[in-house]
Amino acid sequence: MFTGLVEATGQLIRRDLVGVDARLEIRYAPDSPFVIGESIAIDGVCLTVQTITEQGFACDASSETLARTTLGELTLPATLNIERAMPLGGRMGGHIVSGHVDATGVLLERQAVGEMSKLVFGFPANLARFIAEKGSICINGVSLTINGVGADRFDVMIIPHTAQVTSLGALQPGGRVNLEVDVLARYVLRAAEVDSVGAAEKS
């Protein structure tokens, strides 16, 4: 499990195809040594540390991951947001993030609002029921609060610190991002759907 609080950025320096899958090599110097097999969030995508390299580490990405996220289309070298899994008893500073990307979105607008930045993202229609004003969303691994929602877009505000320590600071309109909706919203909606079906069957 992750929290959406990015620890640092790394660089995707190599992507080798292995059949329909890929091996991703990432340049990153961790504060503490990696353990082979540990989970790590790369731009919001939960992957497994396969090998330790001279410059960082390597992960394997399946064809499904490459198709559903931005990891298969990034131009090298690409800046990546990195978060290691939250340890048991760790501080929950963002929101519950699984690292299972729901879809990709696109940055439509970027506006300066004082020292802050307002980012407006477009999203696919199937995510609309999970995106709510003042709810949480994970964008490229960053936990953010949704300020406003439209039929096919939502906006967030990022503070200078977030712009400095994550890749969102350099993201420009047209740039694609990985989106993960709040898991609590998913379960609440599912519970409501099940209750609705149960009520209909009894009537």
Side-chain angles (χ1 to χ4, degrees):
M1 186 180 76
F2 307 94
T3 68
L5 297 185
V6 171
E7 298 174 17
T9 57
Q11 278 193 317
L12 178 61
I13 57 175
R14 186 166 180 169
R15 182 175 51 224
D16 294 326
L17 291 178
V18 183
V20 295
D21 306 318
R23 170 65 61 93
L24 310 178
E25 186 174 339
I26 297 163
R27 180 187 293 125
Y28 176 64
D31 292 332
S32 58
F34 284 119
V35 176
I36 300 297
E38 74 169 274
S39 295
I40 190 165
I42 306 298
D43 261 9
V45 184
C46 181
L47 296 175
T48 300
V49 174
Q50 295 289 128
T51 60
I52 309 300
T53 67
E54 291 184 0
Q55 299 189 69
F57 64 99
C59 295
D60 288 339
S62 69
S63 58
E64 174 73 4
T65 297
L66 297 176
R68 294 180 66 92
T69 74
T70 62
L71 295 183
E73 64 187 47
L74 293 173
T75 301
L76 307 185
T79 299
L80 303 169
N81 297 321
I82 295 177
E83 181 189 355
R84 299 174 81 172
M86 186 178 75
L88 185 64
R91 181 173 296 168
M92 174 62 74
H95 72 280
I96 297 173
V97 175
S98 67
H100 301 159
V101 170
D102 292 293
T104 59
V106 61
L107 179 62
L108 301 176
E109 302 175 32
R110 185 183 192 100
Q111 306 169 15
V113 182
E115 294 185 351
M116 312 290 184
S117 295
K118 178 181 179 181
L119 306 183
V120 181
F121 291 93
F123 62 86
N126 64 312
L127 295 189
R129 57 186 181 165
F130 300 111
I131 298 176
E133 184 176 343
K134 302 308 175 185
S136 296
I137 194 163
C138 189
I139 304 173
N140 272 4
V142 183
S143 172
L144 292 166
T145 300
I146 299 164
N147 285 335
V149 184
D152 60 356
R153 63 188 58 198
F154 68 87
D155 62 84
V156 297
M157 296 287 286
I158 62 171
I159 63 175
H161 175 75
T162 301
Q164 292 168 5
V165 302
T166 76
S167 63
L168 297 184
L171 187 67
Q172 295 300 311
R176 300 191 66 78
V177 294
N178 297 316
L179 301 176
E180 180 186 334
V181 300
D182 189 350
V183 66
L184 296 180
R186 186 183 301 282
Y187 283 120
V188 168
L189 181 62
R190 178 57 179 161
E193 290 175 342
V194 171
D195 286 346
S196 176
V197 171
E201 290 176 346
K202 291 178 180 178
S203 61

